[in-house]
Amino acid sequence: MKKYFGTDGIRGRVGEHPISAEFMLKLGWATGKVFSRYDTASILIGKDTRISGYMFETALEAGLTAAGVHTKMLGPMPTPAVAYLTRTFGASAGIVISASHNSHEDNGIKFFSSQGTKLDDRLELEIEAALEEPFTTVASRYIGKVIRINDASGRYIEFCKSTYRAKEKLHGLKIVLDCANGATYHIAPSVFTELGANVTVIGNKPDGLNINDNCGSTHPTRLIQEVQLSNADLGIAFDGDGDRVLFVDSKGNLIDGDELLYIIAMDRAQKQKVPGIVGTQMSNLGLELALKEKEMEFVRAKVGDRFVMTELISRQWLYGGEGSGHIVCLDMTTTGDGIISALQVLGALRNADKTIEQLCAGMKKFPQVLQNVKLPLDKRWDVNSKIMQQAIKDVEVVLGKRGRILLRSSGTEPLVRVMVEGEDAVMIHKLARQLTEAVTHSFVNI
């Protein structure tokens, strides 16, 4: 069992162990110690725009250099940009300081391998083992050097643009971008403008505290309003670290990751055989049925991009994602990338010469209710209690084969997520309330 690493790195409240400057110093050292075992190590560090990134960036840098590792500092960069740059610079690993879609009070650490993929379990366990060792510093002559990469943004912008393959550029397309006051604020506007789009940008004035604050993919209300007020063709929302994307159509309807994945799959199927798509336990039933109509297999992985990626690699498939907008196109890059995913959707629009509303029409979404139940600090959730088992059975009887339920603990927050999906919106709201009440009554003392 891992002590610190979760499904997406290490994450928590700033100032509370392990998200403290003291721990980050030791984490940088432990990481450097592990990677120095295999080669002369160099590691990239990027971050999103939250204010605590300055503190953790410095602490990690000190730990890495004390372990003899050369460090390249990228400054604010989207998470997928760090994955890309780790590969192109031939670095041993990449580190991202980010808590993704969470508010500025949280932060976290994500790692990428030299290939731009998430670290495997073996390396994470080695880093955790090194954390238990006493801190030492290499001899002075072997202390690592630090440089800042000044052209990182330009390199990544050009890479993103290279993944847009439609013959027609984006001229004449009016787009509103919401950068969530996060890591895409200085990247995304250039990408879409240089491809010819008429771009309006919101959420592009980070101050260290406003990341994901009533903006971005987790709070799309302002984007919806801006699209309608400006008569834009569509809106695009990223999350704080740029690995998720959602769209808004010209009428202000939100288009989630399941629909975007469907659009990309249909576009690719025009040119090549797409044997299957990987979604998650949360993916809408409508996506599964729409893909089956096109004779594409659909497989559900556990929630989390790590599990989607594992399933894709094991099946040698190329496309997968989550309703949250974390979409993976392995024919373009090695990890979920909000900007690149958005470009694939826009390319599909140009290839089909249709609006995004028209491309979504082939998939009928089932109503889905997702509710979060906060876990008290002194409680845990007992999914096997008699209360829960009876509640689950009661809901499954009502839904039959035309609906689904899912209950799971969040991997990043102290929450139990309750999902109910079915054809009747009124009914599933009622059933979700039933399950939420059952979850609350099933809490037990730790």
Side-chain angles (χ1 to χ4, degrees):
M1 293 291 292
K2 297 174 188 174
K3 184 176 180 180
Y4 298 111
F5 284 89
T7 57
D8 194 19
I10 302 170
R11 189 179 299 186
R13 207 70 164 175
V14 173
E16 298 177 7
H17 186 76
I19 310 301
S20 66
E22 179 184 19
F23 180 83
M24 293 302 165
L25 174 67
K26 189 69 178 291
L27 178 63
W29 176 83
T31 301
K33 187 174 176 64
V34 167
F35 280 96
S36 295
R37 292 172 184 167
Y38 303 103
D39 201 353
T40 302
S42 66
I43 292 180
L44 273 61
I45 300 179
K47 62 181 181 179
D48 65 22
T49 56
R50 64 195 75 221
I51 193 167
S52 58
Y54 292 101
M55 175 171 63
F56 297 138
E57 178 184 50
T58 303
L60 286 166
E61 174 191 330
L64 288 165
T65 54
V69 172
H70 300 312
T71 307
K72 295 180 172 68
M73 311 298 286
L74 303 175
M77 291 295 290
T79 290
V82 178
Y84 166 71
L85 292 167
T86 299
R87 285 190 294 124
T88 58
F89 277 104
S92 307
I95 298 175
V96 185
I97 306 166
S98 175
S100 190
H101 56 281
N102 291 20
S103 64
H104 74 87
E105 291 91 352
D106 294 338
N107 215 330
I109 304 295
K110 304 179 185 183
F111 290 86
F112 287 104
S113 73
S114 60
Q115 301 303 310
T117 59
K118 297 290 176 70
L119 289 191
D120 61 32
D121 291 334
R122 176 183 60 84
L123 282 170
E124 290 183 347
L125 288 168
E126 284 189 38
I127 291 171
E128 290 203 351
L131 282 165
E132 303 302 318
E133 300 176 19
F135 190 102
T136 58
T137 302
V138 297
S140 180
R141 71 175 64 188
Y142 300 118
I143 288 175
K145 297 178 181 179
V146 181
I147 63 171
R148 185 163 293 277
I149 305 299
N150 294 318
D151 63 344
S153 297
R155 287 171 178 258
Y156 180 59
I157 287 168
E158 290 305 310
F159 170 62
C160 289
K161 287 161 54 182
S162 74
T163 69
Y164 180 84
R165 303 290 173 80
K167 291 181 180 179
E168 297 293 328
K169 299 298 184 185
L170 302 178
H171 298 288
L173 196 63
K174 190 173 183 180
I175 299 174
V176 181
L177 295 180
D178 185 346
C179 296
N181 291 315
T184 62
Y185 81 98
H186 60 316
I187 303 285
S190 295
V191 171
F192 295 94
T193 299
E194 291 175 22
L195 285 172
N198 178 357
V199 175
T200 299
V201 189
I202 62 175
N204 64 329
K205 294 179 171 58
D207 61 11
L209 304 177
N210 60 2
I211 186 170
N212 300 311
D213 185 12
N214 291 315
C215 57
S217 63
T218 50
H219 303 282
T221 301
R222 185 184 169 200
L223 176 62
I224 291 170
Q225 293 170 344
E226 191 65 36
V227 167
Q228 293 175 309
L229 287 172
S230 62
N231 293 314
D233 296 299
L234 52 86
I236 302 174
F238 304 105
D239 68 336
D241 74 329
D243 61 2
R244 296 185 183 189
V245 63
L246 299 179
F247 274 57
V248 172
D249 70 21
S250 62
K251 298 181 178 63
N253 298 308
L254 189 65
I255 299 171
D256 68 13
D258 290 337
E259 293 166 293
L260 299 178
L261 185 55
Y262 171 77
I263 290 172
I264 293 170
M266 293 302 102
D267 177 64
R268 292 298 202 270
Q270 298 299 314
K271 304 170 186 176
Q272 65 194 55
K273 180 174 176 56
V274 180
I277 301 292
V278 175
T280 73
Q281 296 167 333
M282 296 294 292
S283 298
N284 195 279
L285 185 58
L287 173 62
E288 179 177 353
L289 297 177
L291 292 173
K292 284 184 176 179
E293 284 184 9
K294 301 297 182 179
E295 298 183 346
M296 292 184 196
E297 189 176 351
F298 182 74
V299 173
R300 294 183 185 272
K302 290 196 294 184
V303 174
D305 64 292
R306 173 187 289 269
F307 303 113
V308 171
M309 185 69 72
T310 299
E311 198 69 47
L312 285 172
I313 292 171
S314 68
R315 294 175 178 272
Q316 298 185 316
W317 292 353
L318 297 176
Y319 312 108
E322 303 180 84
S324 62
H326 197 118
I327 298 170
V328 180
C329 298
L330 289 181
D331 56 343
M332 294 296 169
T333 190
T334 60
T335 189
D337 189 312
I339 294 175
I340 289 176
S341 298
L343 291 174
Q344 307 318 300
V345 173
L346 295 178
L349 265 62
R350 283 299 194 232
N351 288 334
D353 194 22
K354 292 182 178 180
T355 65
I356 196 162
E357 294 96 321
Q358 291 171 322
L359 291 186
C360 284
M363 173 185 156
K364 180 184 176 183
K365 285 180 66 178
F366 277 49
Q368 188 181 86
V369 175
L370 176 62
Q371 296 183 349
N372 293 325
V373 184
K374 192 168 184 178
L375 279 170
L377 294 177
D378 60 340
K379 303 287 185 181
R380 65 176 174 82
W381 174 45
D382 186 4
V383 69
N384 295 314
S385 70
K386 291 182 179 179
I387 293 173
M388 282 310 310
Q389 293 300 311
Q390 187 59 51
I392 291 170
K393 182 178 179 180
D394 291 344
V395 172
E396 287 178 337
V397 168
V398 175
L399 288 174
K401 294 183 179 180
R402 299 294 290 178
R404 299 186 308 121
I405 65 170
L406 178 67
L407 297 99
R408 69 178 186 89
S409 298
S410 169
T412 58
E413 300 172 86
L415 301 171
V416 176
R417 303 198 189 279
V418 178
M419 189 275 287
V420 182
E421 185 177 67
E423 294 178 301
D424 186 328
V426 174
M427 179 184 69
I428 65 169
H429 275 87
K430 178 182 177 182
L431 296 174
R433 285 195 298 272
Q434 285 181 211
L435 281 177
T436 297
E437 291 172 3
V439 168
T440 302
H441 286 110
S442 71
F443 290 158
V444 296
N445 292 326
I446 293 176

